[in-house]
Structures are given as structure tokens and as C-alpha cells.
Amino acid sequence: MKKRWAAGILCILLLFQLSSPVRAAGKVYFVAAEESVLPLSDASMPFWHGGYLYVAASVFTNLGVSVINNTAKGLMVLEKERRALLFDRNKGTVQDSSGTSYAPGAVQSGGTVFVPASMVAGFFGLQYSVTDVPNGTLVWLRSPDFGMSIRSFANAATYSMEERYSAYIKDSQPSVSDSEEPAPETPAVSTAGARIHLCLEGDSRTGGLLDVLDRAGSWATFYCTPEFMEENGALLRRMTASGHTVGILLDGAAGSPEELLKRAEDALYRATLGKTRLICLRNADERTAQTLKQAGYCPLSPDLDRSSYKLESASNAASLLKRITNRRGDVSVWLGATASAAGLREFVAAARKAGHDCRSLTETG
């Protein structure tokens, strides 16, 4: 009886330890990228999981790796020098642009996405090491030609680590305000507006348009030619990882629709490991459209075709918004290649102020 009671107490203690991420004896994980020791915080503190040490994905931005994270879809792309890893947290998978699978996958803790340090470092040709230092452990990521041993770097970084540790301990101390009752949150004002589906052509302006949309928390659909897809894999990855939708722009004057479609689909899959059924037809007859529909594709049929009008100023944006508002309800708008970053910025801001929401199209409507 006593043995069973003692075993029960031990199980409870173990469960408590597993569910409580308390750092024993104040020890922490320092993270250094190249020559810099990064700030310490509980939100981004590395941890062991499944036999791998996980670090915040954002750490790799200090090593020239682009990190694009779509929290809503559970997707994240890490890319450097035309090499990319696509993490799908919902499926728990990791693949590169050629379809090769890797393991293990990413883990999200709070609002931070963590990745296995050794696997990601190895994929991008970086060096990775873990060594004990005063007050904790140092995780060091650097280029292969950094030219300094682990111990030499740890000694050289002693002062930086002490500074980071002192700031971390100071920030961890409870303040008077921590015990005060928080002020009640102001309820959000609900605005019932239309969903605006902006459809644009992928071209040289696309990077700037994505910057505008991402800053505004808005989304659009980009229809891209096979040539654009073959030459802009990084942009395609950024679109899909950020929540935008990619469609295929087929120009009947450029060749056989079947051949163009295959080129576009192959390029899209190489870049994002994804597919699309959204297409926009140019210089194509009704028979081609019907054939593609029967094959399961969704040709663009916008409520408003504004491809002959510029969207480059506040007055252009106001004119477009007025036409959208007059229609009432959700509206799809084909802008083609007429939008500039400045014009799109004005439009998105005006639409949001009016209570509308800019969203990308889906294959179901």
C-alpha cells in the first residue's frame, strides 16, 4: 500500500515537472549568431524536444536566412540563396523545394515558432554547437568560415552574455504593476463590411505590393504567367506563406494553353510544393474556358474589371472604393498590372476605414 502511495506521489511530481517550464537554478540558454549574443527572453528561449534542441526560427534571420511565417495556415518558409525549407505545422512535415522530406518539424510555443537547430543549420550549410558556460548553455550558430573555436568564442563573448543575463534577471523580477488589477479591455467595435477580393497580375511591382498588403494585414490573389513563376520562386513562396493566393495567367497568344498550364503548375510546385486551380484567361476563346472548367479549373470572372484604370493615387483609390461600395456585398476586382504600391496602400487604408476587408480568392469562391 505504501509503495503504491509513494509511486502515485512520484507520478504527480513528474507530471508537474513536465507541465511547468521552470528553469532550474536560474540557468538559461544563450543564443549567438555569428559574433552577436542575442537578447534573452522566456518567449524565445531554446528548449529540448524529442531529442533535438529547438531555437526560435527568427534566430536564422541573423544568418542571412529569410523567414516567412503564416500563423493562420500553420506554414513557414525558411530560404537562403535559392534553397528553401517549407514547414507545415498542421501536418508536422518539412520539405525542400524539390520535395525531399526532412525531420523533425517545427513547434509553436505561444506566438513563437521554433525549429530544430541542428537540422536547419545543416540544411543551410551553417555550423551549430552547444557548450556549457557560466549561468547556462551557449548555442552558437555561424558560417563555416567564421574562424574561431567554440571555446575561444565563449571566452570572448563572456561580457556580452553577462550583460544579457543581468538584463534577463532584471526583467524577470515582478514589478508593482504586475500585482495591480488590469484595466478592463475596451470591447472591439464590430464593422460589418464587404470582403474585397483584389486580383493582380504578377510582375515587377509584385514585391512592393506584397510589402503593402503584409503591413496592412490584407491579402490578395496574384495571377502569374509561367515565365514569372519559373523566374520568381522566392516571391511565390512568400505569397503562399503569407496567406496570399496564387493563380495562373494563361495567354492564348503565348502558346498552347495545355503546355503553358503544365509549365506553370510545375514551376509552382517546385517553388511552394503546392498547386492551384485558379486561372485567368487572356486571348482565349469560350471553348478553351469550358474545357478548363470541365477539367476542374476556376477561370477568373471578376465582378469589376479595372485593368484599364490606374490605381496609383489617393484619387484612384477613392474612385475604386466608390464603385465597390455602390455594388454592395462581397466584390472581386481584377486590377491586372495597373496597381502601384502607393495606390494600393491608399486603397487598402481607405477600405479598412470604411469597414471592408481585403481577402484573397479561394477555389470554392
Side-chain angles (χ1 to χ4, degrees), residues 208-232:
L209 300 179
L210 287 170
D211 290 340
V212 170
L213 292 166
D214 291 345
R215 290 193 197 104
S218 298
W219 294 268
T221 302
F222 289 86
Y223 287 87
C224 309
T225 64
E227 292 81 6
F228 181 91
M229 290 185 172
E230 289 166 348
E231 297 171 2
N232 294 276

Side-chain angles (χ1 to χ4, degrees), residues 248-273:
I248 300 171
L249 178 58
L250 295 177
D251 189 343
S256 162
E258 292 80 5
E259 292 178 2
L260 294 173
L261 191 60
K262 185 178 188 310
R263 283 177 56 195
E265 290 179 331
D266 289 347
L268 180 61
Y269 187 79
R270 284 196 302 271
T272 68
L273 305 178

Side-chain angles (χ1 to χ4, degrees), residues 21 123 147 237 276 299:
F123 180 83
R237 284 188 287 275
T276 184

Side-chain angles (χ1 to χ4, degrees), residues 170-298:
K170 183 178 180 181
D171 291 342
S172 300
Q173 300 301 317
S175 62
V176 175
S177 60
D178 291 336
S179 59
E180 294 175 355
E181 183 178 354
E185 293 185 4
T186 303
V189 178
S190 175
T191 56
R195 284 177 295 184
I196 302 172
H197 302 293
L198 297 178
C199 303
L200 303 111
E201 180 176 346
D203 61 12
S204 59
R205 295 180 172 187
T206 298
L209 300 179
L210 287 170
D211 290 340
V212 170
L213 292 166
D214 291 345
R215 290 193 197 104
S218 298
W219 294 268
T221 302
F222 289 86
Y223 287 87
C224 309
T225 64
E227 292 81 6
F228 181 91
M229 290 185 172
E230 289 166 348
E231 297 171 2
N232 294 276
L235 275 179
L236 295 177
R237 284 188 287 275
R238 179 181 175 185
M239 291 175 198
T240 55
S242 299
H244 306 286
T245 305
V246 178
I248 300 171
L249 178 58
L250 295 177
D251 189 343
S256 162
E258 292 80 5
E259 292 178 2
L260 294 173
L261 191 60
K262 185 178 188 310
R263 283 177 56 195
E265 290 179 331
D266 289 347
L268 180 61
Y269 187 79
R270 284 196 302 271
T272 68
L273 305 178
K275 299 180 179 179
T276 184
R277 291 288 177 177
L278 299 178
I279 58 174
C280 177
L281 297 174
R282 181 183 289 167
N283 299 317
D285 55 28
E286 184 60 28
R287 182 180 178 182
T288 299
Q290 288 300 323
T291 299
L292 290 170
K293 280 184 180 179
Q294 291 172 2
Y297 292 93
C298 307

